[in-house]
Amino acid sequence: QVQLVESGGGLVQAGGSLRLSCAASGSFFSINDMGWYRQGPGIHRELVATITSGGSTNYADSVKGRFTISRDNAKNTVYLQMNSLKPEDTAVYYCKAILTLVPAGTTSYQYWGQGTQVTVSS
């Protein structure tokens, strides 16, 4: 079974930094796209950043210039470097991956991690 495991969350002061990691494991052929989303209490999950298999990135306006998404395809891992953190960045951060399960597969599947808490104090 495919599994996404996030790590790197925690408590940090405003202006500080954290690096989140998400590693995919299990039975799959390749990872097409990966991304990070976040969700606060009573709020729908929102996009933070995405990265394609070719390395093209997209960021929410609220994190542009502060966050950087990257990936290591050999390790099946995506990272989110979070700098200049603000209290409004406080949320549970979820990793998402779009996977192709078999060679020459024509269908991709979406998987989510369990989330990691990021808390930024003022």
Side-chain angles (χ1 to χ4, degrees):
Q1 184 173 339
V2 174
Q3 185 176 8
L4 302 180
V5 179
E6 301 106 330
S7 62
L11 175 65
V12 66
Q13 297 281 348
S17 298
L18 288 172
R19 190 183 76 158
L20 306 183
S21 299
C22 173
S25 62
S27 180
F28 60 88
F29 175 67
S30 64
I31 304 174
N32 301 78
D33 301 322
M34 304 188 82
W36 290 95
Y37 296 72
R38 66 187 182 188
Q39 184 173 359
I43 303 174
H44 287 93
R45 194 171 300 179
E46 65 176 356
L47 182 148
V48 177
T50 60
I51 184 167
T52 69
S53 60
S56 297
T57 59
N58 184 55
Y59 297 92
D61 288 341
S62 60
V63 307
K64 286 181 179 177
R66 300 188 297 119
F67 292 8
T68 302
I69 188 171
S70 61
R71 63 192 289 168
D72 185 335
N73 291 331
K75 297 181 179 179
N76 298 136
T77 300
V78 63
Y79 306 94
L80 186 68
Q81 180 66 46
M82 309 165 67
N83 298 326
S84 301
L85 283 163
K86 304 175 181 179
E88 51 262 45
D89 295 319
T90 295
V92 177
Y93 284 70
Y94 296 90
C95 174
K96 185 184 79 172
I98 306 298
L99 306 179
T100 298
L101 301 185
V102 298
T106 59
T107 303
S108 59
Y109 298 87
Q110 180 175 283
Y111 293 87
W112 292 90
Q114 292 299 303
T116 183
Q117 177 70 49
V118 171
T119 302
V120 184
S121 64
S122 59

